[in-house]
Amino acid sequence: MMTHSSRQLVLAFKSCFCQTCGCPPFKAHTLLRPYSIEIPSVVGRTKKTQEKLKLEKSTSLQGLTQRNLSAVAGLLKGQYRPLSRFDFLDFGDLEEHTLKALACSSLRRFIINPDLAGLIAEKLDKDLSENHAVIFECNPGPGVLTLALFNAGAQRIVALESDKTFLSGLQELERRLEGQLDVMYCDFFRLDPIGRGLPKPPIMHSEKLFNDLGISEVPWIADIPIKVVGIFSQRNERNMLWRLIYALFECLSIFRYGRVEMNVFISENEYTKLTAQPGNMRHYQALSVLWQVACDIEVLHKEPWSSFVTSSKHSGLPKSMLPNDHLCLVRMTPRRNLFSDTLTTSNSATFVMMVKQCLAKRKAKLIDRLDSWSTGSGKKLLEQLKLPHDILTGQVYPEEYKHLFEAIEHSEEFTQSWLYDEILENTQKTGF
């Protein structure tokens, strides 16, 4: 009864709204998400339990109705709210989407299942309508996840698609959404190419991308301005992680615009290494330390490879000695307090190289590495940081590496160019 009354109120608000501004009335679609949700078995359920579940469901529907009534009230006041919160977006012909995905010439994995897309949208945020960060969706393909994000309340999405095959469908959706969706012919994973000359689309410089979108820089300590959502290619995901971590520490590329949050699917293999702990001499590497220093890392969901549609020419799974049965949806949120008076964007390249040099041999003694940079300084620094004299480089925690760098920077025994030659050599080899 309560739910029926709430629906009448919604219709009353819609009629009032349309009479006031003259715009077309909203379509009366259900507020429930279309994908299935796992529920406990009902075998042996008592009548009392069933009544309790009915009450909980009714309360949930009332809360959702009240939230949307508040949104209608916002419209009446002239506030912008996503249209898709009231006009559910259909996922279209899933068979056609699958055929297009399978025909893709490059190695890509696609989210075609609406249930999976809805689950991912929920994992990103319980109510995207309350989050004002712009979502950068990388290679959305047919746009199934795009639609799920809008149905979950996303306010603005930038679809960065690198394959022209999918552009027309996304652009049609862009026209329907009237300003909520921007479709760009752009490959996020190839932003900011090295070299001279004007890059040819879909390759693009981040400065042009952000200028075209009208997105300005915000201070590092401000809230998250952008959430990147996508699937890393397993052919070069490690290279991509290195490119991003260099850009993050120097606030270049997308990180020039603030603390951009990454919500990306990576292989279980790479996730295991990324979150490895000190003492794990096999998996604890420089990349582990640098990402753990720079970001809060959280796995939001693990999904079997079989849940994704893979272009037919590249259906095989990557081989690995590590568990690698899933893709992991990982959130990497840059820390507000990453930079300080000591660790800055100006000297962060030195910090990165220091970590790489230390973790090159994880069973080497840290004191020996320190003495190689400044003879006789290792013992003093280890005592200052209260670390054992015989500690191995693979046993040092990420935050201890940061403290070590800060101690070196303040030490008079180390010159400004204590790692200059090695940094220069690395820059020439990697292009960073």
Side-chain angles (χ1 to χ4, degrees):
M1 187 72 180
M2 180 69 71
T3 304
H4 179 69
S5 301
S6 299
R7 287 175 180 169
Q8 289 181 332
L9 281 173
V10 172
L11 292 173
F13 267 111
K14 290 177 180 178
S15 301
C16 177
F17 174 75
C18 296
Q19 292 170 3
T20 302
C21 67
C23 68
F26 294 116
K27 294 180 182 178
H29 289 277
T30 179
L31 296 175
L32 290 176
R33 293 191 176 98
Y35 54 85
S36 60
I37 301 175
E38 291 185 8
I39 58 175
S41 172
V42 296
V43 178
R45 181 175 291 162
T46 64
K47 183 176 181 182
K48 184 176 180 181
T49 304
Q50 292 175 346
E51 291 175 352
K52 182 180 178 182
L53 287 172
K54 283 184 179 180
L55 179 60
E56 290 176 351
K57 183 177 180 181
S58 175
T59 304
S60 175
L61 285 172
Q62 291 172 30
L64 186 57
T65 302
Q66 290 172 359
R67 190 164 74 240
N68 283 273
L69 283 173
S70 299
V72 174
L75 279 170
L76 292 173
K77 294 178 183 178
Q79 298 176 0
Y80 175 78
R81 294 290 292 183
L83 175 64
S84 57
R85 290 294 278 172
F86 315 102
D87 191 2
F88 179 79
L89 298 170
D90 186 76
F91 291 101
D93 189 336
L94 299 182
E95 184 177 353
E96 182 182 346
H97 295 336
T98 302
L99 291 175
K100 282 187 177 181
L102 290 172
C104 184
S105 59
S106 58
L107 171 58
R108 280 178 56 177
R109 306 190 189 279
F110 299 86
I111 297 169
I112 304 296
N113 187 336
D115 290 355
L116 176 58
L119 177 64
I120 293 169
E122 186 173 310
K123 293 292 183 180
L124 292 176
D125 200 319
K126 292 295 184 182
D127 188 358
L128 285 170
S129 66
E130 301 301 322
N131 195 310
H132 299 290
V134 179
I135 296 176
F136 276 20
E137 188 183 0
C138 308
N139 286 337
V144 175
L145 179 57
T146 314
L147 293 165
L149 291 170
F150 276 124
N151 289 335
Q155 298 188 32
R156 185 185 180 191
I157 296 177
V158 176
L160 304 175
E161 178 54 57
S162 61
D163 191 327
K164 288 184 177 180
T165 305
F166 303 104
L167 285 180
S168 59
L170 292 169
Q171 288 166 346
E172 174 59 30
L173 180 61
E174 180 182 26
R175 287 187 288 271
R176 289 167 55 196
L177 288 174
E178 300 178 352
Q180 286 182 247
L181 175 65
D182 294 287
V183 177
M184 308 289 290
Y185 181 39
C186 173
D187 188 345
F188 174 83
F189 302 111
R190 298 171 71 186
L191 278 177
D192 299 308
I194 300 169
R196 298 180 180 179
L198 189 65
K200 184 179 180 180
I203 303 174
M204 185 181 293
H205 287 295
S206 56
E207 184 176 3
K208 173 175 171 50
L209 174 63
F210 280 76
N211 284 341
D212 290 348
L213 294 170
I215 299 177
S216 303
E217 302 173 22
V218 299
W220 185 261
I221 60 174
D223 291 336
I224 301 297
I226 296 164
K227 291 176 176 284
V228 174
V229 180
I231 303 175
F232 275 11
S233 169
Q234 274 64 66
R235 280 186 172 175
N236 62 357
E237 62 180 345
R238 172 151 286 251
N239 289 341
M240 192 65 205
L241 286 169
W242 271 115
R243 287 179 62 88
L244 286 170
I245 201 64
Y246 270 101
L248 194 160
F249 271 103
E250 297 188 66
C251 287
L252 299 175
S253 188
I254 59 173
F255 298 104
R256 170 185 167 188
Y257 297 86
R259 293 187 303 122
V260 175
E261 180 184 276
M262 306 297 298
N263 297 269
V264 291
F265 276 103
I266 62 176
S267 67
E268 192 171 9
N269 174 11
E270 205 59 55
Y271 171 71
T272 301
K273 296 176 182 177
L274 201 64
T275 56
Q277 294 299 299
N280 186 338
M281 297 301 181
R282 184 180 186 85
H283 304 140
Y284 189 58
Q285 303 171 6
L287 204 57
S288 317
V289 171
L290 294 170
W291 274 105
Q292 290 179 41
V293 166
C295 296
D296 292 317
I297 302 175
E298 176 186 7
V299 61
L300 302 179
H301 181 66
K302 289 186 177 183
E303 188 69 25
W305 292 84
S306 57
S307 299
F308 302 85
V309 174
T310 305
S311 47
S312 57
K313 296 179 181 179
H314 311 277
S315 58
L317 298 182
K319 296 180 180 180
S320 171
M321 296 179 67
L322 295 173
N324 209 25
D325 299 327
H326 298 78
L327 281 180
C328 302
L329 179 58
V330 181
R331 171 175 290 162
M332 297 177 282
T333 308
R335 303 182 191 275
R336 288 181 190 267
N337 63 348
L338 172 60
F339 299 107
S340 63
D341 293 337
T342 305
L343 178 60
T344 68
T345 56
S346 300
N347 64 10
S348 58
T350 307
F351 171 68
V352 171
M353 183 51 55
M354 183 199 80
V355 172
K356 291 184 71 173
Q357 290 296 313
C358 287
L359 273 298
K361 295 181 179 180
R362 294 181 284 280
K363 294 183 179 181
K365 289 185 178 180
L366 179 59
I367 192 170
D368 293 337
R369 173 55 66 183
L370 295 174
D371 285 339
S372 71
W373 294 329
S374 179
T375 305
S377 299
K379 182 179 178 181
K380 180 180 178 181
L381 280 173
L382 292 178
E383 290 177 351
Q384 180 181 338
L385 297 173
K386 298 180 179 180
L387 294 174
H389 291 177
D390 59 349
I391 191 170
L392 306 181
T393 58
Q395 297 173 330
V396 181
Y397 281 87
E399 60 269 24
E400 291 173 335
Y401 271 115
K402 185 179 180 182
H403 296 327
L404 175 62
F405 175 77
E406 292 171 340
I408 290 175
E409 287 291 284
H410 287 121
S411 173
E412 296 180 355
E413 299 176 16
F414 289 82
T415 64
Q416 289 290 330
S417 59
W418 56 283
L419 274 179
Y420 175 80
D421 292 337
E422 291 176 273
I423 290 176
L424 182 59
E425 180 183 357
N426 180 75
T427 302
Q428 291 172 339
K429 286 183 178 180
T430 63
F432 291 108

